[in-house]
């Protein structure tokens, strides 16, 4: 069985945000799958997705601090600067972290570790709502 939907997330401020519940809320059909895979793809070049710690919010704050240090704004060698000082770093961060996730489905649930959650990594200062394509495949 295949199922595909587009999920529109509300606008988030810059940072790393736990969106597991938002995604699952849009997938009531998940419970019909005994075994399968969930693919989540973000349709943007300045935001990304990752899976990490879902319990302690300081992890998400540390992610933001690390990536701002690792990929700083206003570097003199950036040529793509027309959309603001945060735009080129957002593209780089998005490429480093990635635009899609694959998560196994077992008995109608995401088969993730107890401390794992799905993150929206918002790299722009003033972003609009982000669009995800979610694809379920299995039986």
């Amino acid at each position: 069985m295949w199922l595909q939907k587009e999920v529109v997330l509300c606008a988030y401020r810059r940072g790393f945000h736990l969106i597991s519940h938002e995604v699952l809320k849009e997938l009531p059909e998940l419970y019909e799958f005994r075994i399968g895979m969930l693919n989540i793809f973000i349709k943007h070049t300045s935001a990304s997705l990752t899976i990490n710690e879902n319990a302690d919010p300081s992890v998400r704050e540390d992610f933001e601090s690390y990536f701002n240090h690792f990929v700083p704004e206003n570097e003199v060698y950036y040529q793509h600067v027309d959309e603001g000082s945060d735009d080129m770093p957002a593209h780089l961060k998005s490429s480093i972290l990635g635009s899609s996730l694959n998560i196994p489905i077992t008995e109608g649930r995401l088969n993730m570790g107890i401390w794992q959650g799905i993150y929206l990594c918002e790299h722009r200062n003033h972003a609009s709502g982000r669009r995800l394509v979610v694809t379920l495949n299995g039986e």
Side-chain angles (χ1 to χ4, degrees):
M1 176 170 34
W2 286 89
L3 173 76
Q4 188 172 79
K5 306 181 161 184
E6 191 161 307
V7 174
V8 180
L9 301 174
C10 64
Y12 281 90
R13 64 178 169 72
R14 182 172 167 168
F16 290 73
H17 306 279
L18 194 56
I19 61 165
S20 303
H21 293 297
E22 273 186 85
V23 171
L24 290 172
K25 177 180 72 176
E26 298 295 326
L27 294 174
E29 304 89 350
L30 180 66
Y31 302 104
E32 300 172 23
F33 289 80
R34 186 180 59 78
I35 186 171
M37 290 295 291
L38 169 66
N39 176 270
I40 308 171
F41 175 78
I42 190 164
K43 296 174 67 173
H44 302 275
T45 61
S46 57
S48 54
L49 300 169
T50 195
I51 294 174
N52 217 293
E53 165 83 44
N54 67 3
D56 185 351
S58 68
V59 172
R60 296 188 302 275
E61 294 170 14
D62 288 345
F63 260 77
E64 178 67 8
S65 296
Y66 173 80
F67 276 96
N68 288 338
H69 178 75
F70 184 59
V71 185
E73 294 183 16
N74 299 310
E75 289 294 338
V76 295
Y77 50 84
Y78 291 157
Q79 296 178 43
H80 180 74
V81 295
D82 293 343
E83 296 178 50
S85 63
D86 64 329
D87 190 45
M88 188 60 221
H91 294 312
L92 294 170
K93 293 171 187 178
S94 176
S95 288
I96 292 165
L97 286 160
S99 58
S100 67
L101 301 172
N102 286 306
I103 304 169
I105 301 166
T106 306
E107 303 300 335
R109 300 174 56 108
L110 299 183
N111 195 345
M112 297 171 59
I114 192 167
W115 304 114
Q116 289 182 313
I118 302 167
Y119 286 15
L120 167 68
C121 314
E122 179 53 69
H123 306 304
R124 294 301 309 266
N125 293 328
H126 305 288
S128 59
R130 300 299 191 170
R131 294 184 175 276
L132 307 175
V133 176
V134 294
T135 305
L136 291 162
N137 176 245
E139 54 186 57

PDB file of all heavy atoms in Angstrom, residues 38-66:
ATOM      1  N   LEU A  38       8.249   5.291   6.292  1.00  0.00           N
ATOM      2  CA  LEU A  38       7.757   6.650   6.134  1.00  0.00           C
ATOM      3  C   LEU A  38       8.910   7.491   5.604  1.00  0.00           C
ATOM      4  O   LEU A  38       9.990   7.499   6.193  1.00  0.00           O
ATOM      5  CB  LEU A  38       7.279   7.233   7.467  1.00  0.00           C
ATOM      6  CG  LEU A  38       6.992   8.734   7.489  1.00  0.00           C
ATOM      7  CD1 LEU A  38       5.811   9.076   6.585  1.00  0.00           C
ATOM      8  CD2 LEU A  38       6.742   9.211   8.908  1.00  0.00           C
ATOM      9  N   ASN A  39       8.673   8.164   4.478  1.00  0.00           N
ATOM     10  CA  ASN A  39       9.643   9.127   3.966  1.00  0.00           C
ATOM     11  C   ASN A  39       9.047  10.502   4.165  1.00  0.00           C
ATOM     12  O   ASN A  39       7.874  10.731   3.847  1.00  0.00           O
ATOM     13  CB  ASN A  39       9.934   8.892   2.482  1.00  0.00           C
ATOM     14  CG  ASN A  39      10.858   9.951   1.917  1.00  0.00           C
ATOM     15  OD1 ASN A  39      10.418  10.976   1.423  1.00  0.00           O
ATOM     16  ND2 ASN A  39      12.145   9.710   2.024  1.00  0.00           N
ATOM     17  N   ILE A  40       9.837  11.411   4.699  1.00  0.00           N
ATOM     18  CA  ILE A  40       9.424  12.811   4.871  1.00  0.00           C
ATOM     19  C   ILE A  40      10.421  13.666   4.098  1.00  0.00           C
ATOM     20  O   ILE A  40      11.628  13.579   4.332  1.00  0.00           O
ATOM     21  CB  ILE A  40       9.420  13.240   6.349  1.00  0.00           C
ATOM     22  CG1 ILE A  40       8.606  12.258   7.194  1.00  0.00           C
ATOM     23  CG2 ILE A  40       8.884  14.657   6.488  1.00  0.00           C
ATOM     24  CD1 ILE A  40       8.741  12.495   8.687  1.00  0.00           C
ATOM     25  N   PHE A  41       9.910  14.483   3.185  1.00  0.00           N
ATOM     26  CA  PHE A  41      10.740  15.334   2.338  1.00  0.00           C
ATOM     27  C   PHE A  41      10.292  16.781   2.516  1.00  0.00           C
ATOM     28  O   PHE A  41       9.098  17.072   2.432  1.00  0.00           O
ATOM     29  CB  PHE A  41      10.588  14.912   0.874  1.00  0.00           C
ATOM     30  CG  PHE A  41      11.315  15.803  -0.094  1.00  0.00           C
ATOM     31  CD1 PHE A  41      12.684  15.695  -0.262  1.00  0.00           C
ATOM     32  CD2 PHE A  41      10.630  16.763  -0.826  1.00  0.00           C
ATOM     33  CE1 PHE A  41      13.366  16.520  -1.148  1.00  0.00           C
ATOM     34  CE2 PHE A  41      11.298  17.595  -1.713  1.00  0.00           C
ATOM     35  CZ  PHE A  41      12.665  17.473  -1.874  1.00  0.00           C
ATOM     36  N   ILE A  42      11.230  17.687   2.771  1.00  0.00           N
ATOM     37  CA  ILE A  42      10.908  19.104   2.908  1.00  0.00           C
ATOM     38  C   ILE A  42      11.163  19.796   1.575  1.00  0.00           C
ATOM     39  O   ILE A  42      12.211  19.615   0.962  1.00  0.00           O
ATOM     40  CB  ILE A  42      11.683  19.770   4.070  1.00  0.00           C
ATOM     41  CG1 ILE A  42      11.158  21.169   4.346  1.00  0.00           C
ATOM     42  CG2 ILE A  42      13.185  19.745   3.838  1.00  0.00           C
ATOM     43  CD1 ILE A  42      11.578  21.736   5.689  1.00  0.00           C
ATOM     44  N   LYS A  43      10.176  20.577   1.130  1.00  0.00           N
ATOM     45  CA  LYS A  43      10.226  21.200  -0.196  1.00  0.00           C
ATOM     46  C   LYS A  43      10.840  22.603  -0.142  1.00  0.00           C
ATOM     47  O   LYS A  43      10.293  23.533  -0.725  1.00  0.00           O
ATOM     48  CB  LYS A  43       8.807  21.272  -0.768  1.00  0.00           C
ATOM     49  CG  LYS A  43       8.182  19.926  -1.016  1.00  0.00           C
ATOM     50  CD  LYS A  43       6.738  20.029  -1.452  1.00  0.00           C
ATOM     51  CE  LYS A  43       6.604  20.661  -2.812  1.00  0.00           C
ATOM     52  NZ  LYS A  43       5.198  20.605  -3.304  1.00  0.00           N
ATOM     53  N   HIS A  44      11.957  22.730   0.532  1.00  0.00           N
ATOM     54  CA  HIS A  44      12.594  24.041   0.690  1.00  0.00           C
ATOM     55  C   HIS A  44      14.110  23.880   0.697  1.00  0.00           C
ATOM     56  O   HIS A  44      14.617  22.828   1.077  1.00  0.00           O
ATOM     57  CB  HIS A  44      12.132  24.711   1.988  1.00  0.00           C
ATOM     58  CG  HIS A  44      10.656  24.890   2.052  1.00  0.00           C
ATOM     59  ND1 HIS A  44      10.021  25.976   1.497  1.00  0.00           N
ATOM     60  CD2 HIS A  44       9.685  24.101   2.564  1.00  0.00           C
ATOM     61  CE1 HIS A  44       8.708  25.857   1.679  1.00  0.00           C
ATOM     62  NE2 HIS A  44       8.485  24.719   2.323  1.00  0.00           N
ATOM     63  N   THR A  45      14.807  24.951   0.324  1.00  0.00           N
ATOM     64  CA  THR A  45      16.275  24.905   0.285  1.00  0.00           C
ATOM     65  C   THR A  45      16.926  25.634   1.451  1.00  0.00           C
ATOM     66  O   THR A  45      18.153  25.697   1.529  1.00  0.00           O
ATOM     67  CB  THR A  45      16.794  25.516  -1.027  1.00  0.00           C
ATOM     68  OG1 THR A  45      16.386  26.879  -1.097  1.00  0.00           O
ATOM     69  CG2 THR A  45      16.303  24.742  -2.228  1.00  0.00           C
ATOM     70  N   SER A  46      16.120  26.190   2.356  1.00  0.00           N
ATOM     71  CA  SER A  46      16.696  26.923   3.486  1.00  0.00           C
ATOM     72  C   SER A  46      16.173  26.404   4.827  1.00  0.00           C
ATOM     73  O   SER A  46      16.238  27.087   5.841  1.00  0.00           O
ATOM     74  CB  SER A  46      16.420  28.424   3.344  1.00  0.00           C
ATOM     75  OG  SER A  46      15.033  28.666   3.246  1.00  0.00           O
ATOM     76  N   ALA A  47      15.660  25.190   4.816  1.00  0.00           N
ATOM     77  CA  ALA A  47      15.254  24.486   6.035  1.00  0.00           C
ATOM     78  C   ALA A  47      15.580  23.016   5.811  1.00  0.00           C
ATOM     79  O   ALA A  47      15.758  22.577   4.673  1.00  0.00           O
ATOM     80  CB  ALA A  47      13.766  24.680   6.309  1.00  0.00           C
ATOM     81  N   SER A  48      15.661  22.258   6.888  1.00  0.00           N
ATOM     82  CA  SER A  48      16.039  20.860   6.758  1.00  0.00           C
ATOM     83  C   SER A  48      15.322  20.024   7.812  1.00  0.00           C
ATOM     84  O   SER A  48      14.565  20.539   8.629  1.00  0.00           O
ATOM     85  CB  SER A  48      17.561  20.711   6.869  1.00  0.00           C
ATOM     86  OG  SER A  48      18.042  21.299   8.056  1.00  0.00           O
ATOM     87  N   LEU A  49      15.595  18.736   7.772  1.00  0.00           N
ATOM     88  CA  LEU A  49      15.009  17.780   8.709  1.00  0.00           C
ATOM     89  C   LEU A  49      16.116  16.936   9.323  1.00  0.00           C
ATOM     90  O   LEU A  49      17.112  16.638   8.666  1.00  0.00           O
ATOM     91  CB  LEU A  49      14.037  16.843   7.981  1.00  0.00           C
ATOM     92  CG  LEU A  49      12.849  17.490   7.290  1.00  0.00           C
ATOM     93  CD1 LEU A  49      12.146  16.479   6.388  1.00  0.00           C
ATOM     94  CD2 LEU A  49      11.872  18.060   8.318  1.00  0.00           C
ATOM     95  N   THR A  50      15.915  16.537  10.558  1.00  0.00           N
ATOM     96  CA  THR A  50      16.817  15.579  11.185  1.00  0.00           C
ATOM     97  C   THR A  50      16.075  14.882  12.307  1.00  0.00           C
ATOM     98  O   THR A  50      14.970  15.284  12.683  1.00  0.00           O
ATOM     99  CB  THR A  50      18.121  16.235  11.681  1.00  0.00           C
ATOM    100  OG1 THR A  50      19.105  15.230  11.954  1.00  0.00           O
ATOM    101  CG2 THR A  50      17.911  17.090  12.920  1.00  0.00           C
ATOM    102  N   ILE A  51      16.676  13.840  12.835  1.00  0.00           N
ATOM    103  CA  ILE A  51      16.128  13.106  13.982  1.00  0.00           C
ATOM    104  C   ILE A  51      17.138  13.217  15.110  1.00  0.00           C
ATOM    105  O   ILE A  51      18.330  12.985  14.910  1.00  0.00           O
ATOM    106  CB  ILE A  51      15.891  11.621  13.632  1.00  0.00           C
ATOM    107  CG1 ILE A  51      14.791  11.504  12.577  1.00  0.00           C
ATOM    108  CG2 ILE A  51      15.537  10.821  14.885  1.00  0.00           C
ATOM    109  CD1 ILE A  51      14.584  10.107  12.052  1.00  0.00           C
ATOM    110  N   ASN A  52      16.629  13.595  16.298  1.00  0.00           N
ATOM    111  CA  ASN A  52      17.524  13.670  17.446  1.00  0.00           C
ATOM    112  C   ASN A  52      16.707  13.694  18.731  1.00  0.00           C
ATOM    113  O   ASN A  52      15.506  13.422  18.722  1.00  0.00           O
ATOM    114  CB  ASN A  52      18.469  14.864  17.321  1.00  0.00           C
ATOM    115  CG  ASN A  52      19.842  14.527  17.859  1.00  0.00           C
ATOM    116  OD1 ASN A  52      20.005  14.306  19.058  1.00  0.00           O
ATOM    117  ND2 ASN A  52      20.822  14.449  16.971  1.00  0.00           N
ATOM    118  N   GLU A  53      17.343  14.055  19.815  1.00  0.00           N
ATOM    119  CA  GLU A  53      16.802  14.078  21.178  1.00  0.00           C
ATOM    120  C   GLU A  53      15.433  14.754  21.250  1.00  0.00           C
ATOM    121  O   GLU A  53      15.272  15.881  20.803  1.00  0.00           O
ATOM    122  CB  GLU A  53      17.795  14.832  22.063  1.00  0.00           C
ATOM    123  CG  GLU A  53      17.301  15.266  23.402  1.00  0.00           C
ATOM    124  CD  GLU A  53      17.364  14.181  24.449  1.00  0.00           C
ATOM    125  OE1 GLU A  53      18.396  13.498  24.506  1.00  0.00           O
ATOM    126  OE2 GLU A  53      16.392  14.032  25.196  1.00  0.00           O
ATOM    127  N   ASN A  54      14.455  14.070  21.851  1.00  0.00           N
ATOM    128  CA  ASN A  54      13.118  14.642  21.945  1.00  0.00           C
ATOM    129  C   ASN A  54      12.731  15.097  23.350  1.00  0.00           C
ATOM    130  O   ASN A  54      11.626  15.596  23.543  1.00  0.00           O
ATOM    131  CB  ASN A  54      12.070  13.651  21.419  1.00  0.00           C
ATOM    132  CG  ASN A  54      11.931  12.424  22.296  1.00  0.00           C
ATOM    133  OD1 ASN A  54      12.570  12.301  23.344  1.00  0.00           O
ATOM    134  ND2 ASN A  54      11.105  11.495  21.875  1.00  0.00           N
ATOM    135  N   ALA A  55      13.594  14.918  24.329  1.00  0.00           N
ATOM    136  CA  ALA A  55      13.216  15.199  25.719  1.00  0.00           C
ATOM    137  C   ALA A  55      13.740  16.549  26.227  1.00  0.00           C
ATOM    138  O   ALA A  55      12.977  17.324  26.788  1.00  0.00           O
ATOM    139  CB  ALA A  55      13.700  14.075  26.624  1.00  0.00           C
ATOM    140  N   ASP A  56      14.993  16.812  26.036  1.00  0.00           N
ATOM    141  CA  ASP A  56      15.610  18.014  26.619  1.00  0.00           C
ATOM    142  C   ASP A  56      15.715  19.115  25.575  1.00  0.00           C
ATOM    143  O   ASP A  56      16.481  18.994  24.619  1.00  0.00           O
ATOM    144  CB  ASP A  56      17.000  17.652  27.155  1.00  0.00           C
ATOM    145  CG  ASP A  56      17.680  18.795  27.883  1.00  0.00           C
ATOM    146  OD1 ASP A  56      17.175  19.933  27.836  1.00  0.00           O
ATOM    147  OD2 ASP A  56      18.730  18.544  28.501  1.00  0.00           O
ATOM    148  N   PRO A  57      14.966  20.222  25.733  1.00  0.00           N
ATOM    149  CA  PRO A  57      14.997  21.300  24.735  1.00  0.00           C
ATOM    150  C   PRO A  57      16.363  21.973  24.589  1.00  0.00           C
ATOM    151  O   PRO A  57      16.622  22.602  23.568  1.00  0.00           O
ATOM    152  CB  PRO A  57      13.950  22.299  25.234  1.00  0.00           C
ATOM    153  CG  PRO A  57      13.475  21.813  26.541  1.00  0.00           C
ATOM    154  CD  PRO A  57      14.034  20.463  26.810  1.00  0.00           C
ATOM    155  N   SER A  58      17.242  21.818  25.573  1.00  0.00           N
ATOM    156  CA  SER A  58      18.562  22.448  25.456  1.00  0.00           C
ATOM    157  C   SER A  58      19.369  21.821  24.311  1.00  0.00           C
ATOM    158  O   SER A  58      20.260  22.470  23.756  1.00  0.00           O
ATOM    159  CB  SER A  58      19.332  22.361  26.771  1.00  0.00           C
ATOM    160  OG  SER A  58      19.688  21.035  27.072  1.00  0.00           O
ATOM    161  N   VAL A  59      19.045  20.580  23.934  1.00  0.00           N
ATOM    162  CA  VAL A  59      19.727  19.956  22.799  1.00  0.00           C
ATOM    163  C   VAL A  59      19.444  20.770  21.539  1.00  0.00           C
ATOM    164  O   VAL A  59      20.346  21.059  20.749  1.00  0.00           O
ATOM    165  CB  VAL A  59      19.278  18.487  22.612  1.00  0.00           C
ATOM    166  CG1 VAL A  59      19.833  17.907  21.316  1.00  0.00           C
ATOM    167  CG2 VAL A  59      19.728  17.650  23.803  1.00  0.00           C
ATOM    168  N   ARG A  60      18.188  21.180  21.348  1.00  0.00           N
ATOM    169  CA  ARG A  60      17.829  21.962  20.163  1.00  0.00           C
ATOM    170  C   ARG A  60      18.488  23.335  20.190  1.00  0.00           C
ATOM    171  O   ARG A  60      18.918  23.853  19.156  1.00  0.00           O
ATOM    172  CB  ARG A  60      16.311  22.053  20.041  1.00  0.00           C
ATOM    173  CG  ARG A  60      15.702  20.669  19.809  1.00  0.00           C
ATOM    174  CD  ARG A  60      14.228  20.692  19.481  1.00  0.00           C
ATOM    175  NE  ARG A  60      13.356  21.299  20.455  1.00  0.00           N
ATOM    176  CZ  ARG A  60      12.852  20.676  21.518  1.00  0.00           C
ATOM    177  NH1 ARG A  60      13.149  19.410  21.758  1.00  0.00           N
ATOM    178  NH2 ARG A  60      12.050  21.303  22.341  1.00  0.00           N
ATOM    179  N   GLU A  61      18.606  23.924  21.367  1.00  0.00           N
ATOM    180  CA  GLU A  61      19.310  25.207  21.492  1.00  0.00           C
ATOM    181  C   GLU A  61      20.790  25.045  21.160  1.00  0.00           C
ATOM    182  O   GLU A  61      21.383  25.902  20.501  1.00  0.00           O
ATOM    183  CB  GLU A  61      19.127  25.757  22.903  1.00  0.00           C
ATOM    184  CG  GLU A  61      17.698  26.142  23.219  1.00  0.00           C
ATOM    185  CD  GLU A  61      17.473  26.448  24.690  1.00  0.00           C
ATOM    186  OE1 GLU A  61      18.471  26.627  25.437  1.00  0.00           O
ATOM    187  OE2 GLU A  61      16.298  26.499  25.094  1.00  0.00           O
ATOM    188  N   ASP A  62      21.378  23.954  21.619  1.00  0.00           N
ATOM    189  CA  ASP A  62      22.792  23.687  21.320  1.00  0.00           C
ATOM    190  C   ASP A  62      23.012  23.440  19.827  1.00  0.00           C
ATOM    191  O   ASP A  62      24.032  23.864  19.266  1.00  0.00           O
ATOM    192  CB  ASP A  62      23.307  22.493  22.126  1.00  0.00           C
ATOM    193  CG  ASP A  62      23.487  22.812  23.602  1.00  0.00           C
ATOM    194  OD1 ASP A  62      23.486  24.010  23.967  1.00  0.00           O
ATOM    195  OD2 ASP A  62      23.613  21.852  24.391  1.00  0.00           O
ATOM    196  N   PHE A  63      22.076  22.763  19.181  1.00  0.00           N
ATOM    197  CA  PHE A  63      22.158  22.582  17.730  1.00  0.00           C
ATOM    198  C   PHE A  63      22.216  23.934  17.036  1.00  0.00           C
ATOM    199  O   PHE A  63      23.058  24.167  16.155  1.00  0.00           O
ATOM    200  CB  PHE A  63      20.931  21.814  17.207  1.00  0.00           C
ATOM    201  CG  PHE A  63      21.157  20.355  16.963  1.00  0.00           C
ATOM    202  CD1 PHE A  63      21.205  19.454  18.016  1.00  0.00           C
ATOM    203  CD2 PHE A  63      21.286  19.860  15.675  1.00  0.00           C
ATOM    204  CE1 PHE A  63      21.394  18.107  17.793  1.00  0.00           C
ATOM    205  CE2 PHE A  63      21.474  18.515  15.444  1.00  0.00           C
ATOM    206  CZ  PHE A  63      21.526  17.632  16.499  1.00  0.00           C
ATOM    207  N   GLU A  64      21.306  24.836  17.408  1.00  0.00           N
ATOM    208  CA  GLU A  64      21.272  26.159  16.783  1.00  0.00           C
ATOM    209  C   GLU A  64      22.592  26.903  17.019  1.00  0.00           C
ATOM    210  O   GLU A  64      23.161  27.479  16.093  1.00  0.00           O
ATOM    211  CB  GLU A  64      20.089  26.973  17.313  1.00  0.00           C
ATOM    212  CG  GLU A  64      19.995  28.378  16.759  1.00  0.00           C
ATOM    213  CD  GLU A  64      19.678  28.460  15.271  1.00  0.00           C
ATOM    214  OE1 GLU A  64      19.360  27.425  14.636  1.00  0.00           O
ATOM    215  OE2 GLU A  64      19.782  29.572  14.735  1.00  0.00           O
ATOM    216  N   SER A  65      23.099  26.870  18.230  1.00  0.00           N
ATOM    217  CA  SER A  65      24.368  27.534  18.537  1.00  0.00           C
ATOM    218  C   SER A  65      25.520  26.944  17.730  1.00  0.00           C
ATOM    219  O   SER A  65      26.346  27.682  17.171  1.00  0.00           O
ATOM    220  CB  SER A  65      24.689  27.418  20.033  1.00  0.00           C
ATOM    221  OG  SER A  65      23.726  28.093  20.789  1.00  0.00           O
ATOM    222  N   TYR A  66      25.574  25.619  17.677  1.00  0.00           N
ATOM    223  CA  TYR A  66      26.649  24.959  16.948  1.00  0.00           C
ATOM    224  C   TYR A  66      26.610  25.334  15.469  1.00  0.00           C
ATOM    225  O   TYR A  66      27.631  25.726  14.896  1.00  0.00           O
ATOM    226  CB  TYR A  66      26.569  23.433  17.102  1.00  0.00           C
ATOM    227  CG  TYR A  66      27.574  22.738  16.218  1.00  0.00           C
ATOM    228  CD1 TYR A  66      28.908  22.637  16.609  1.00  0.00           C
ATOM    229  CD2 TYR A  66      27.217  22.237  14.964  1.00  0.00           C
ATOM    230  CE1 TYR A  66      29.848  22.042  15.785  1.00  0.00           C
ATOM    231  CE2 TYR A  66      28.150  21.639  14.142  1.00  0.00           C
ATOM    232  CZ  TYR A  66      29.462  21.547  14.553  1.00  0.00           C
ATOM    233  OH  TYR A  66      30.385  20.974  13.728  1.00  0.00           O
TER     234      TYR A  66
END
